[in-house]
Amino acid sequence: MTKIGEKNTQPVRGRGGNLKFRALRLDAGNFAWSTESCTRKVRVLDVTYNASNNELVRTKTLVKGAIVLVDAHPFKEWYESHYGVKVGPKSKQVASTGEEVKKSDHAKRKISARAKGRSLEQTLDQQMGSGRLLAKITSRPGQCGRADGIILEGPELAFYQKMMARK
């Protein structure tokens, strides 16, 4: 059973002499934000929901299908640099930082063209403001030694938020 902690994996011999990598402890993984086509290595902070067993939430066990909280900073940083806008609750305030980064006209045009078609869900904006995103683990940490997954959004995010509020 994989727990949250400093990375510790052990090779396990399988049939045919092949190796599996059993993760005993993991603290990070690659998580994909599918609507933005962005993948970042982020820290796994906590296990918040597991459809199969509440005991796995209490013991913070990482399994496939577990809903976890991950650090939002890498995704927030990417979004702000890609679209040139602030994200989170402080986005309403005008940023009065003394240092404005100088950009070429081409870079300004590229960012403004991207910003035309952008839309960020309100729930994701709130989560980024708090510094944590809900994600789902899609890999099998006990078999491959990694905890990779996807950032929850849209109806799937609403479903899991409703299920967590129920408990």
Side-chain angles (χ1 to χ4, degrees):
M1 295 291 226
T2 306
K3 308 286 185 181
I4 295 176
E6 188 178 338
K7 185 176 180 178
N8 181 8
T9 60
Q10 289 187 334
V12 177
R13 186 184 180 278
R15 187 175 170 104
N18 295 317
L19 288 179
K20 292 181 182 183
F21 294 96
R22 178 133 315 133
L24 302 176
R25 293 192 176 278
L26 288 174
D27 59 354
N30 285 326
F31 286 85
W33 187 2
S34 56
T35 57
E36 295 294 335
S37 300
C38 171
T39 302
R40 294 286 179 267
K41 183 172 183 174
V42 294
R43 232 169 16 116
V44 177
L45 303 173
D46 193 15
V47 178
T48 57
Y49 180 76
N50 196 313
S52 62
N53 193 346
N54 282 335
E55 187 74 8
L56 298 177
V57 176
R58 190 183 65 76
T59 58
K60 299 180 191 271
T61 304
L62 300 172
V63 294
K64 182 176 179 172
I67 306 302
V68 295
L69 276 176
V70 297
D71 184 22
H73 183 72
F75 290 107
K76 183 177 180 179
E77 195 174 73
W78 174 85
Y79 194 86
E80 289 176 352
S81 68
H82 190 75
Y83 290 111
V85 295
K86 293 285 181 200
V87 181
K90 294 183 176 147
S91 63
K92 277 61 174 178
Q93 301 171 356
V94 177
S96 60
T97 56
E99 299 176 27
E100 280 294 320
V101 179
K102 289 191 174 187
K103 294 181 182 172
S104 66
D105 286 338
H106 177 70
K108 289 177 184 174
R109 282 196 311 268
K110 190 162 62 168
I111 287 174
S112 66
R114 286 179 189 154
K116 285 179 186 172
R118 100 177 161 83
S119 64
L120 182 65
E121 291 181 34
Q122 183 182 359
T123 52
L124 277 178
D125 192 31
Q126 290 170 350
Q127 286 183 16
M128 283 202 188
S130 70
R132 297 168 176 222
L133 290 171
L134 283 174
K136 183 177 187 177
I137 295 178
T138 56
S139 67
R140 297 171 69 192
Q143 301 288 321
C144 67
R146 299 163 48 142
D148 301 337
I150 58 168
I151 301 298
L152 294 177
E153 48 192 335
E156 194 173 17
L157 173 62
F159 171 78
Y160 283 114
Q161 284 179 329
K162 186 174 75 174
M163 295 304 286
M164 285 185 278
R166 194 182 289 177
K167 291 193 176 195

